[in-house]
């Protein structure tokens, strides 16, 4: 399990923006996939956005066109730019990085993945 530390969460009003960051530990940054996962109170974890080793990105339908995932490979940092935030985006956001798991796994089986960091809280008020 790759240890990570997320940051950037905050309380904002609907329509606002936030940028989350995640620093992954270790010297091996040859990840098969890096991803953002979120969990709202009383709900299962869901895959929000993924980026593979080639830089190809995928998104949950609920965030397409509003969220953008990116990575700084040299610094081992993952980002999530979130625009046009909605109250339903309120959740704890976790970062994930793995050397073997595919982005398809993080997209559809995120509820099985145990986060390697404390997460960062995003709260969107209407």
């Amino acid at each position: 399990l790759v240890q990570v530390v997320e940051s950037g969460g905050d309380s904002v009003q609907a329509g606002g923006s936030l940028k989350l960051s995640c620093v992954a530990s270790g010297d091996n940054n040859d990840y098969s996939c890096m991803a953002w996962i979120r969990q709202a109170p009383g709900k299962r974890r869901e895959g929000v956005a993924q980026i593979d080793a080639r830089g190809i990105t995928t998104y949950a339908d609920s965030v397409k066109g509003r969220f953008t995932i990116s990575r700084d490979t040299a610094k081992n940092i993952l980002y999530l730019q979130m625009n046009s935030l909605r109250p339903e985006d309120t959740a704890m956001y976790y970062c994930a990085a793995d050397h073997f798991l595919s982005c398809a796994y993080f997209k559809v089986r995120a509820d099985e993945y145990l986060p390697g960091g404390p997460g960062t809280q995003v709260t969107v008020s209407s």
Side-chain angles (χ1 to χ4, degrees):
L1 185 67
V2 176
Q3 298 299 311
V4 297
V5 178
E6 305 93 342
S7 62
D10 205 345
S11 296
V12 297
Q13 291 195 326
S17 297
L18 284 174
K19 186 172 185 177
L20 307 184
S21 299
C22 165
V23 179
S25 64
D27 297 326
N28 182 4
N29 62 358
D30 186 21
Y31 301 114
S32 55
C33 185
M34 299 185 80
W36 287 97
I37 297 167
R38 68 185 180 187
Q39 186 167 21
K43 295 188 177 181
R44 302 173 74 179
R45 283 190 294 274
E46 64 170 337
V48 176
Q50 305 83 32
I51 184 167
D52 70 10
R54 297 166 294 173
I56 295 175
T57 58
T58 49
Y59 297 91
D61 288 343
S62 59
V63 306
K64 278 181 182 177
R66 300 188 299 122
F67 291 10
T68 302
I69 188 172
S70 61
R71 62 184 289 187
D72 184 329
T73 303
K75 296 181 179 179
N76 236 2
I77 301 176
L78 183 71
Y79 301 101
L80 185 68
Q81 177 67 47
M82 305 186 296
N83 299 326
S84 302
L85 282 162
R86 304 168 180 169
E88 53 263 40
D89 295 318
T90 295
M92 185 69 79
Y93 283 72
Y94 300 95
C95 165
D98 202 274
H99 296 105
F100 303 102
L101 294 173
S102 70
C103 281
Y105 173 90
F106 287 107
K107 186 175 177 66
V108 301
R109 300 176 68 176
D111 59 316
E112 299 180 5
Y113 188 82
L114 294 178
T120 187
Q121 178 69 39
V122 172
T123 303
V124 185
S125 58
S126 57

